[in-house]
Amino acid sequence: MTVSYNLDISSVTTLSFVRLLFRWRGSIWKSVVVELTIWIISFLIISYVYRYAMDEDEKRIFERLAAYCDKKLDYIPLTFMLGFFVTIVVDRWRQIFSNMGWIEDVALTIATLIRGDSKEIILTRRTIIRYMVLSQVLVFRDISMRVRRRFPNMESIVTAGFLHENEKVELEKIDIVYNKYWAPVNWALTLVFRAHKDGHIAAPPSMNSCINEIKTFRAKLAQLCNYDWVPIPIAYPQVVFLAVRVYFLICLVSRQYILSDEANNRSVVRFIAHETKIIRPRTVGSALVRDAVQYMHEPLVQCFHSVDQSSH
């Protein structure tokens, strides 16, 4: 689920990162909180059993098992698998968002190229746009639960004004087992051709522009249907989900804190103490004064020594 968080990072403050990190709705925390809690509890239980419920021989066996699991953990290419899977998911999300279908392009083209101020022409332009939105509603009803709840049946679409009763009857007369998303698009193309035939579209290239905009809109809706009908092959999610869970299941043993001094994989925490020499300011000042006096005293001594030699 996509959750807007732009307001949380709209200003650069110290707490912006904290607000973004601890957002709950749609966050990673909400997705993994149950499994993370189970994993932490299991890790603590295994740690308690290792420390207090095992004898020395059993601890040695557990330590060798932990070392073996930690060594073989690299056999699961988790980074590569997650990177590949996330790339697929993000690309599908981007393509779905790009093909949502914006009616403004079709509406602007129709309003520009179908000229006229009569009630018939105004109604024609509005009907073409209504047919395109109707096709979009029919598609969204099958791929979105929110739209399905908003329009549970054809009567609700009629009530909303996207479909008329006579059009509903015509739509129900189409006796095919497949979806009927194409029917409103066909009606819209028919109206465009009729407007060109009646002289309300200036030239054939203008009619082609209207048709191309309608076809582009329909192609985007078809792309959404394709993503809904054909998901990622189930083998890929199964492999990734299994690999991640097996990886963290092995980590319950391999990441334990090993206590034995004889174990090769003994966990060691080293504390490095630094010796700090504190120099008192008075000592530093005394040394500086002594060096300065010696530096000024040496030329005077040399001068007096040369004067004594010349007098003799």
Side-chain angles (χ1 to χ4, degrees), residues 156-217:
S156 61
I157 300 178
V158 173
T159 304
F162 296 113
L163 185 66
H164 294 169
E165 284 292 344
N166 61 325
E167 296 168 348
K168 175 176 172 292
V169 173
E170 293 295 329
L171 198 61
E172 291 175 348
K173 286 182 180 180
I174 303 176
D175 187 15
I176 58 174
V177 296
Y178 304 105
N179 294 311
K180 305 173 184 178
Y181 310 141
W182 54 269
V185 178
N186 187 34
W187 298 343
L189 292 174
T190 302
L191 291 178
V192 170
F193 178 77
R194 185 182 301 172
H196 173 66
K197 184 178 179 181
D198 294 340
H200 300 294
I201 298 179
S206 299
M207 183 185 69
N208 290 334
S209 298
C210 295
I211 292 175
N212 289 333
E213 285 294 335
I214 294 175
K215 288 171 59 179
T216 301
F217 188 83

Side-chain angles (χ1 to χ4, degrees), residues 143-299:
I143 65 177
S144 173
M145 291 304 300
R146 287 191 175 184
V147 181
R148 171 66 71 171
R149 287 192 293 266
R150 174 64 179 83
F151 303 106
N153 47 44
M154 300 302 292
E155 284 73 16
S156 61
I157 300 178
V158 173
T159 304
F162 296 113
L163 185 66
H164 294 169
E165 284 292 344
N166 61 325
E167 296 168 348
K168 175 176 172 292
V169 173
E170 293 295 329
L171 198 61
E172 291 175 348
K173 286 182 180 180
I174 303 176
D175 187 15
I176 58 174
V177 296
Y178 304 105
N179 294 311
K180 305 173 184 178
Y181 310 141
W182 54 269
V185 178
N186 187 34
W187 298 343
L189 292 174
T190 302
L191 291 178
V192 170
F193 178 77
R194 185 182 301 172
H196 173 66
K197 184 178 179 181
D198 294 340
H200 300 294
I201 298 179
S206 299
M207 183 185 69
N208 290 334
S209 298
C210 295
I211 292 175
N212 289 333
E213 285 294 335
I214 294 175
K215 288 171 59 179
T216 301
F217 188 83
R218 190 213 65 83
K220 291 183 177 181
L221 295 180
Q223 190 73 12
L224 290 180
C225 293
N226 292 338
Y227 278 117
D228 182 67
W229 292 339
V230 184
I232 299 174
I234 193 172
Y236 291 106
Q238 285 178 340
V239 169
V240 173
F241 295 163
L242 181 63
V244 170
R245 281 152 181 80
V246 169
Y247 183 90
F248 283 99
L249 185 64
I250 296 174
C251 286
L252 289 175
V253 176
S254 64
R255 301 306 188 194
Q256 290 291 334
Y257 188 91
I258 303 302
L259 301 175
S260 177
D261 294 334
E262 293 80 9
N264 295 328
N265 58 332
R266 175 174 176 265
S267 301
V268 179
V269 179
R270 293 185 176 91
F271 295 95
I272 302 176
H274 297 276
E275 295 182 2
T276 305
K277 294 182 179 180
I278 301 177
I279 302 176
R280 296 180 181 179
R282 189 173 63 179
T283 305
V284 175
S286 301
L288 292 176
V289 171
R290 184 179 65 251
D291 293 340
V293 171
Q294 184 178 0
Y295 176 78
M296 292 185 295
H297 180 67
E298 288 181 356

Side-chain angles (χ1 to χ4, degrees), residues 81-104:
M81 297 174 65
L82 287 179
F84 178 73
F85 186 71
V86 169
T87 301
I88 294 177
V89 172
V90 172
D91 184 68
R92 284 177 62 89
W93 178 86
R94 182 177 60 84
Q95 291 294 333
I96 290 173
F97 182 78
S98 300
N99 291 284
M100 292 292 290
W102 303 100
I103 195 61
E104 286 81 2

Side-chain angles (χ1 to χ4, degrees), residues 1-13:
M1 178 178 63
T2 303
V3 177
S4 178
Y5 55 88
N6 295 331
L7 184 61
D8 292 338
I9 58 175
S10 58
S11 59
V12 181
T13 61

